[in-house]
Amino acid sequence: MKQDNMHETFDVERIRSDFPILSTKMNGKPLVYLDNAATSQKPNQVIESISNYYRTYNANIHRGIYAIAVEATDAYVDSKVKLAKLVNAKGMEEIIYTRNTTEAINIVALGWGGANIKQGDHILITQMEHHSNLVPWMLLARRNGAVLDYVKLDESKSMLDMQSLEEQLENEPKIVAVTHVSNVLGTINDVKHITRKAHDHGAVVLVDGAQSAPHMQVDVQDIGCDFFTLSSHKMLGPTGIGALYGKFDILDKMDPVLSGGDMIKSVTFSDVTWNDLPWKFEAGTPDIAGGIGFGAAIDYLNGIGMKSIRDHEKKITKYALEKLSGIKHLKTYGLGKEDLERRGGVISFSIDKVHPHDVSQVFDSEGIAIRAGHHCAMPLVEEILGESAVSRISFYLYNKESEVDRAAQAVELVKKTFKVG
Ligand code: C6P
């Protein structure tokens, strides 16, 4: 077996020591956490930053002029500045904090879509979208009488068919919304190319970065997209906070979706003017602790380096694909180990005649957390892959090859338990 510490600078054991949950047990066995696409674990630095806020400077932001209110406001704003830098936005004015990716996409569908999508207009998404980047567009299409189109997958059932993209763009869609990385297939879509093509046809582009931002360097200016969405809880930060990046000019022209306190500049009994960006889109008291915790998560990710994280995940994904491909009666979905540049650390699989929930239960009994189901991408799993459910392992910076070995042993136990082969 190869060593777990794969790079001189990337010390997986040192990283693991920052995550208290990784030294706990599940069902009496050392926890192996392989459900990172669902949510990531949190390092001490993030947990402590939240606890420290509540313990020492808890106050509402943008309101008080006393010291701890200023401290809380600064920490919250600072977190946005960090996120803007992480994804290379032009400034924190372009970063709106939301509850998660889902809410960020809904803000675009309701705010931008509500104002700009008219009867007969086309909305273009793809067959590999998570429900969060599908249902809001379906609702918008129904509400406004628009047509929802899909870019198809190619014959490999792993990648978007670029011919299909070209054909759909002939309908001159008003918006193209596409996932950066598929949460089922692990495919990394060439969103820069898709954005350029879509812009050539006059469309606005939204990239769902829920599964990319945690795992690789993202540069929204290089991609050129108009909107980009992400969730803190998938990138070492707390739940309850996510972000919508939008180009300043587009956000500036959009009306707010939620309204109330903090998002206004002035209100009279007959009129209202909006606050400056990004606050125009953040009505009411936000998740202050969440924003602060997210800032600490970004510091942590920067401390390791997004490139090192991606390199580590590529290696462990290759190792896992090699290991799993040697197991009879097991089928993996998505691109293979020769295509690591175009796939992330998500591996969906199925074992002949065994329901994925049973697979997951056996893994659970071995202390291994994986996910089974349609992964909130029912059309992809059912209509394209032809399965009612699949099992899925997904990696992050703290996973190591010995954990892949334990997963492979669990597969053998599944086969033995259900008498496969
Ligand atoms: N996918 C998974 O286990 P939220 O829940 O809003 O933080 O993220 C939604 C979302 C949007 N897009 C993609 C590509 C996603 O993978 C997810 C979340 C989790 O695959 C939970 S279903």
Side-chain angles (χ1 to χ4, degrees):
M1 200 197 312
K2 282 188 221 154
Q3 284 209 323
D4 280 330
N5 296 352
M6 288 175 268
H7 315 272
E8 270 169 25
T9 50
F10 196 95
D11 183 345
V12 89
E13 290 301 342
R14 195 194 54 70
I15 290 170
R16 289 176 71 82
S17 69
D18 288 329
F19 292 78
I21 203 169
L22 297 181
S23 50
T24 62
K25 291 189 170 171
M26 189 166 79
N27 292 321
K29 312 262 171 69
L31 172 69
V32 172
Y33 187 75
L34 296 178
D35 195 16
N36 294 286
T39 198
S40 70
Q41 297 303 342
K42 323 298 172 201
N44 283 321
Q45 290 84 337
V46 168
I47 299 166
E48 278 157 19
S49 76
I50 295 168
S51 149
N52 185 40
Y53 161 68
Y54 281 128
R55 282 174 198 278
T56 67
Y57 63 103
N58 175 50
N60 209 329
I61 59 168
H62 296 150
R63 289 162 173 87
I65 46 167
Y66 49 91
I68 57 170
V70 173
E71 193 180 350
T73 305
D74 286 351
Y76 185 79
V77 173
D78 215 34
S79 154
K80 285 197 182 213
V81 173
K82 288 173 188 170
L83 182 58
K85 280 202 188 118
L86 185 76
V87 299
N88 197 29
K90 284 188 178 149
M92 71 91 189
E93 297 76 15
E94 296 183 321
I95 301 290
I96 295 154
Y97 273 168
T98 60
R99 280 190 305 141
N100 45 38
T101 297
T102 304
E103 188 174 276
I105 296 172
N106 272 278
I107 288 175
V108 179
L110 292 167
W112 185 89
N116 292 287
I117 301 287
K118 308 273 185 272
Q119 175 87 24
D121 282 348
H122 286 255
I123 297 167
L124 182 58
I125 62 170
T126 86
Q127 288 182 332
M128 65 165 80
E129 300 310 315
H130 183 278
H131 298 161
S132 295
N133 200 27
L134 190 162
V135 183
W137 304 115
M138 195 177 268
L139 262 182
L140 175 67
R142 283 189 189 159
R143 235 184 249 132
N144 292 16
V147 184
L148 181 60
D149 298 322
Y150 296 87
V151 177
K152 289 193 184 126
L153 262 65
D154 68 11
E155 280 174 2
S156 70
K157 295 188 179 178
S158 300
M159 306 217 341
L160 293 176
D161 181 345
M162 287 300 120
Q163 183 61 34
S164 170
L165 172 73
E166 300 278 356
E167 284 163 19
Q168 293 298 341
L169 285 173
E170 292 304 318
N171 291 325
E172 306 293 328
K174 286 280 184 313
I175 187 157
V176 175
V178 57
T179 192
H180 198 172
V181 175
S182 163
N183 68 320
V184 175
L185 302 166
T187 309
I188 303 171
N189 290 315
D190 186 350
V191 287
K192 185 174 176 178
H193 173 79
I194 294 170
T195 300
R196 206 172 27 137
K197 290 276 174 194
H199 281 169
D200 286 348
H201 286 262
V204 159
V205 177
L206 177 142
V207 174
D208 171 358
Q211 299 292 353
S212 64
H215 304 282
M216 60 186 71
Q217 277 172 328
V218 165
D219 183 334
V220 290
Q221 291 191 63
D222 183 55
I223 295 169
C225 56
D226 302 284
F227 297 108
F228 188 94
T229 59
L230 53 85
S231 295
S232 145
H233 70 93
K234 293 190 199 289
M235 44 200 298
L236 310 185
T239 48
I241 187 136
L244 167 64
Y245 154 83
K247 278 184 182 157
F248 186 93
D249 289 344
I250 297 188
L251 292 176
D252 200 38
K253 286 194 196 95
M254 266 168 72
D255 273 340
V257 174
L258 296 174
S259 53
D262 218 28
M263 47 70 70
I264 55 88
K265 193 159 265 171
S266 71
V267 187
T268 65
F269 283 121
S270 56
D271 204 6
V272 57
T273 55
W274 310 135
N275 202 344
D276 294 332
L277 285 173
W279 316 115
K280 177 173 101 173
F281 288 96
E282 291 185 29
T285 301
D287 185 351
I288 303 165
I292 291 168
F294 193 15
I298 295 167
D299 286 342
Y300 192 92
L301 291 169
N302 283 332
I304 308 289
M306 294 311 296
K307 184 171 179 311
S308 300
I309 292 171
R310 169 82 179 121
D311 287 346
H312 172 74
E313 287 183 27
K314 256 199 249 175
K315 291 199 173 175
I316 198 161
T317 304
K318 180 166 185 271
Y319 183 76
L321 285 168
E322 277 166 0
K323 196 103 199 170
L324 295 177
S325 66
I327 300 179
K328 279 193 192 143
H329 305 286
L330 182 146
K331 174 181 173 187
T332 57
Y333 301 87
L335 295 167
K337 63 177 189 307
E338 58 292 339
D339 271 314
L340 287 168
E341 290 308 319
R342 290 186 293 180
R343 68 138 38 253
V346 168
I347 306 176
S348 291
F349 66 96
S350 52
I351 301 173
D352 277 0
K353 298 188 215 105
V354 187
H355 194 280
H357 287 165
D358 292 330
V359 174
S360 181
Q361 227 158 20
V362 172
F363 271 62
D364 172 50
S365 69
E366 291 299 296
I368 308 171
I370 64 165
R371 192 172 166 194
H374 50 63
H375 307 289
C376 298
M378 270 175 104
L380 168 63
V381 171
E382 295 189 355
E383 295 176 41
I384 307 294
L385 303 182
E387 305 285 354
S388 59
V390 291
S391 304
R392 184 188 72 183
I393 57 179
S394 50
F395 301 116
Y396 210 1
L397 73 169
Y398 38 67
N399 289 121
K400 48 185 185 171
E401 294 181 351
S402 56
E403 294 182 307
V404 175
D405 296 338
R406 277 193 50 201
Q409 283 157 15
V411 170
E412 293 304 339
L413 184 60
V414 171
K415 286 171 62 180
K416 198 170 152 212
T417 309
F418 293 92
K419 301 186 175 43
V420 176

